[in-house]
């Protein structure tokens, strides 16, 4: 039993020695394989994970990358680019050198697939690169020029200055910009990409300032003014005048055709401005009824005087066009003084109201006040009423009633006891007597054709404080 065990152990030891020797041989063989003339090294080429071929000289790939970057540099010496693709060379040792792809085939594929990108300053709009520049200063200068077109280069208030402090520093008639911004998210950033076009400052400013569309004709609508039309198409008054030489903007008429065009702006410049100015505060009018004054009489109690106030306005201006203006602060300087009048409401039996009635039932004015036939025509003539009744234009006392040798024929004159009197001429008949109190609207006679008359009509005069006045200024038709 012991002998058998000793024999088995010896066999195991012999197997281990053989395996150990074989392992050392294999390891030694592998280590020296690279130097053995029977082995060759090749390189499998991958671009962005895609296998494109095998070469036996990695310099083929390195040369293409170097040349690509050199060509990029030659086109724009101010920008350094680098290949952005993931290029991988996988080395392999083989017993015999295999057939590899031609260098020209690999070079062609690499030239078609790889891209050179560069870190360049750019103006981005809403995160998207729009304008690429050689330097960051050029990008920032571009935005400054575009903004200055609408600010005139005016500086913003110092950081930390409040609106109240700014307003207090303004003089009347003075204004200042409080904020300048773009309507979109506009930034200057460094981006890594394949540059398609490098902009100069002038090129970028022209593009950002808007592209003009072809000029077209526009027909002015009823009630439209020049500035309203300009604003409709995103233009200033000066823009619109430039394409309409000789046009007087205050003389636009409905149906007139003018030339217009529109601007397409990649971005809009928003300017906020505050202005301090002084405005008039008009006085208000108050009327007080006085039962102790005769109706129709008016007396001034207090004369009105305009006041003044200081107003600070905030305006929002988009691409040079004011779109909103609102007051943010008002300070009264001089308060206005109200104008106060009192009007009489007392009605007396024989005193007129001062408010006159049309003396006929309809009719029309056949002759107005003025010169006629070489003489003064003191009143108006009314003809063709619906009937011939003549009415007292206001309450009063009959001063004259009957025939007049002055050419009026049958005539009635009423004293309204308030500075006014009325005269009714060429009547066919008279229905009142001197001294009689007549109320407004009462029939005092019939229309006729008496005296110096050429047809049936009423000659109607109105006197105020003894002076002839035009009835049409006082009597409603």
């Amino acid at each position: 039993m012991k002998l058998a065990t000793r024999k088995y152990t010896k066999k195991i030891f012999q197997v281990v020695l053989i395996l150990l020797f074989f392992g050392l041989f294999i390891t030694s063989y592998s280590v020296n394989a690279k130097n053995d003339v029977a082995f060759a090294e090749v390189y499998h080429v991958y671009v962005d994970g895609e296998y494109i071929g095998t070469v036996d000289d990695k310099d083929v790939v390195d040369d293409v990358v170097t040349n690509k970057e050199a060509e990029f540099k030659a086109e724009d010496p101010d920008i350094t680019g680098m290949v952005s693709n993931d290029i991988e060379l996988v080395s392999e040792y083989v017993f015999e050198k295999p057939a590899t792809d031609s260098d020209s085939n690999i070079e062609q594929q690499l030239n078609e697939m790889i891209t050179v990108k560069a870190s360049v300053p750019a103006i981005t709009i809403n995160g998207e690169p729009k304008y690429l520049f050689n330097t960051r200063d050029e990008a920032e200068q571009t935005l400054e020029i575009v903004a200055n077109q609408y600010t005139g280069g005016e500086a913003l208030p110092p950081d930390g200055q409040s609106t109240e402090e700014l307003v207090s520093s303004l003089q009347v008639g003075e204004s200042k910009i409080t904020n300048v911004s773009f309507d979109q998210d506009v930034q200057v950033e460094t981006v890594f990409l394949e540059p398609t076009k490098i902009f100069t400052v002038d090129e970028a400013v022209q593009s950002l300032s808007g592209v003009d569309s072809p000029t077209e004709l526009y027909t002015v609508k009823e009630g439209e003014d020049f500035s309203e039309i300009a604003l409709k198409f995103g233009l200033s008054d000066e823009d619109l005048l430039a394409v309409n030489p000789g046009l007087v903007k205050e003389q636009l008429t409905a149906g007139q055709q003018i030339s217009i065009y529109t601007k397409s702006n990649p971005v809009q410049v928003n300017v906020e401005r505050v202005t301090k100015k002084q405005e008039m505060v008009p006085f208000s009018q108050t009327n007080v009824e006085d039962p102790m004054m005769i109706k129709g009489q008016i007396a001034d109690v207090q004369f009105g005087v305009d006041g003044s106030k200081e107003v600070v306005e905030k305006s929002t201006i988009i691409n040079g066009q004011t779109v909103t203006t609102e007051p943010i602060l008002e300070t009264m300087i001089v308060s206005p003084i109200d104008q106060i009048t009192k009007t009489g409401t007392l009605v007396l039996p024989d005193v007129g109201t001062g408010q006159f009635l049309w003396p006929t039932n309809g009719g029309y004015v056949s002759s107005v006040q003025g010169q006629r036939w070489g003489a003064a025509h003191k009143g108006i003539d009314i003809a063709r009423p619906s009937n011939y009744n003549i009415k007292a234009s206001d309450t009063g006392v009959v001063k004259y009633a009957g025939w007049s040798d002055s050419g009026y024929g049958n005539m009635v004159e009423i004293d309204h006891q308030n500075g006014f009197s009325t005269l009714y001429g060429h009547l066919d008949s008279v229905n009142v007597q001197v001294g009689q109190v007549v109320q407004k609207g009462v029939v005092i006679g019939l229309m006729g054709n008496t005296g110096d008359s050429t047809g049936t009509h009423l000659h109607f005069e109105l006197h105020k404080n003894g002076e002839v006045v035009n009835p049409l200024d006082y009597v409603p038709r």
Side-chain angles (χ1 to χ4, degrees):
M1 188 70 176
K2 289 181 180 179
L3 184 61
T5 301
R6 189 180 301 117
K7 187 176 181 181
Y8 178 74
T9 302
K10 184 177 180 180
K11 288 181 179 181
I12 291 176
F13 179 72
Q14 291 175 345
V15 171
V16 170
L17 286 177
I18 292 171
L19 290 176
L20 179 60
F21 175 78
F22 184 76
L24 289 173
F25 174 76
I26 293 299
T27 301
S28 175
Y29 181 82
S30 298
V31 170
N32 295 306
K34 296 179 182 179
N35 300 319
D36 197 304
V37 293
F39 285 84
E41 185 177 18
V42 294
Y43 303 90
H44 304 294
V45 184
Y46 294 82
V47 178
D48 297 328
E50 179 183 348
Y51 173 73
I52 66 169
T54 300
V55 295
D56 56 6
D57 186 357
K58 64 180 180 180
D59 288 342
V60 172
V61 177
D62 293 339
D63 289 345
V64 172
V65 171
T66 301
N67 290 337
K68 271 281 189 181
E69 293 176 348
E71 290 173 2
F72 181 89
K73 185 72 173 178
E75 291 181 4
D76 196 333
D78 295 322
I79 299 178
T80 299
M82 59 182 295
V83 171
S84 61
N85 305 81
D86 180 18
I87 300 176
E88 184 180 8
L89 298 176
V90 179
S91 172
E92 181 183 5
Y93 289 94
V94 293
F95 286 102
E96 293 184 4
K97 183 177 179 179
T100 57
D101 297 275
S102 69
D103 292 350
S104 61
N105 180 46
I106 295 297
E107 289 171 355
Q108 180 180 349
Q109 291 190 72
L110 286 172
N111 279 312
E112 292 174 354
M113 297 180 68
I114 65 178
T115 301
V116 178
K117 293 184 178 181
S119 294
V120 291
I123 292 177
T124 63
I125 301 177
N126 297 330
E128 183 179 352
K130 292 292 186 179
Y131 303 91
L132 308 182
F133 298 86
N134 285 325
T135 66
R136 187 179 185 89
D137 286 344
E138 289 178 327
E140 293 174 346
Q141 182 185 358
T142 296
L143 293 183
E144 183 178 355
I145 292 174
V146 171
N148 284 349
Q149 290 176 339
Y150 304 105
T151 65
E154 181 180 332
L156 288 170
D159 291 340
Q161 185 180 40
S162 65
T163 302
E164 292 76 12
E165 291 172 332
L166 174 63
V167 168
S168 65
S169 69
L170 290 177
Q171 301 297 318
V172 173
E174 187 180 9
S175 69
K176 285 187 179 180
I177 291 175
T178 58
N179 187 49
V180 179
S181 63
F182 293 100
D183 65 327
Q184 302 177 69
D185 181 17
V186 179
Q187 303 288 339
V188 175
E189 300 179 281
T190 299
V191 296
F192 185 70
L193 45 68
E194 180 183 8
T196 55
K197 174 177 174 54
I198 300 298
F199 281 80
T200 65
V201 172
D202 289 342
E203 289 173 337
V205 167
Q206 183 177 2
S207 177
L208 283 166
S209 297
V211 178
D212 296 343
S213 67
T215 301
E216 298 178 359
L217 289 178
Y218 175 77
T219 303
V220 179
K221 296 181 175 61
E222 186 72 37
E224 281 188 319
D225 64 26
F226 190 85
S227 296
E228 182 182 355
I229 296 172
L231 186 61
K232 178 186 293 186
F233 292 97
L235 305 171
S236 66
D237 286 6
E238 291 73 18
D239 290 334
L240 199 51
L241 284 172
V243 292
N244 292 277
L247 179 68
V248 179
K249 62 182 183 180
E250 292 81 11
Q251 297 178 359
L252 281 186
T253 57
Q256 181 178 354
Q257 288 192 320
I258 62 174
S259 297
I260 59 95
Y261 68 101
T262 55
K263 277 189 173 184
S264 174
N265 294 81
V267 295
Q268 294 182 329
V269 180
N270 302 332
V271 176
E272 291 182 358
R273 179 181 290 277
V274 293
T275 304
K276 181 182 287 187
K277 60 183 182 179
Q278 187 169 312
E279 293 183 352
M280 181 191 72
V281 182
F283 64 82
S284 60
Q285 297 184 356
T286 303
N287 183 67
V288 179
E289 292 184 344
D290 188 344
M292 302 304 294
M293 289 176 57
I294 297 175
K295 185 175 181 179
Q297 290 184 336
I298 300 175
D300 292 319
V301 177
Q302 177 176 280
F303 291 102
V305 179
D306 292 329
S308 63
K309 63 181 179 180
E310 194 174 81
V311 179
V312 178
E313 291 180 340
K314 176 183 177 182
S315 300
T316 300
I317 307 161
I318 299 179
N319 280 9
Q321 295 294 302
T322 301
V323 294
T324 61
T325 298
E326 58 182 356
I328 59 174
L329 181 64
E330 293 187 357
T331 305
M332 188 69 69
I333 301 174
V334 178
S335 297
I337 299 174
D338 292 346
Q339 178 171 303
I340 303 175
T341 58
K342 59 181 179 179
T343 303
T345 59
L346 178 62
V347 178
L348 299 177
D350 59 353
V351 177
T353 64
Q355 297 175 351
F356 296 92
L357 181 73
W358 190 252
T360 63
N361 291 305
Y364 74 99
V365 177
S366 60
S367 182
V368 296
Q369 191 181 60
Q371 291 294 317
R372 189 179 65 174
W373 302 330
H377 187 235
K378 297 180 181 180
I380 61 173
D381 291 342
I382 303 173
R384 295 184 183 178
S386 60
N387 62 51
Y388 287 158
N389 289 335
I390 305 300
K391 299 173 288 186
S393 187
D394 198 3
T395 298
V397 179
V398 178
K399 182 179 179 181
Y400 188 92
W403 182 264
S404 169
D405 293 327
S406 299
Y408 291 111
N410 288 324
M411 178 189 91
V412 173
E413 185 176 1
I414 300 174
D415 183 358
H416 300 289
Q417 308 292 302
N418 57 6
F420 287 99
S421 64
T422 50
L423 183 150
Y424 311 78
H426 307 309
L427 301 182
D428 182 69
S429 61
V430 175
N431 295 351
V432 293
Q433 298 176 348
V434 174
Q436 179 180 343
V437 175
V438 292
Q439 299 298 313
K440 183 177 182 178
V442 169
V443 176
I444 59 174
L446 296 177
M447 182 182 291
N449 186 26
T450 60
D452 295 338
S453 171
T454 57
T456 301
H457 71 282
L458 170 68
H459 175 84
F460 179 63
E461 290 182 18
L462 180 63
H463 299 251
K464 181 179 181 181
N465 298 324
E467 300 292 333
V468 175
V469 295
N470 189 348
L472 296 178
D473 292 337
Y474 296 87
V475 182
R477 279 188 278 180

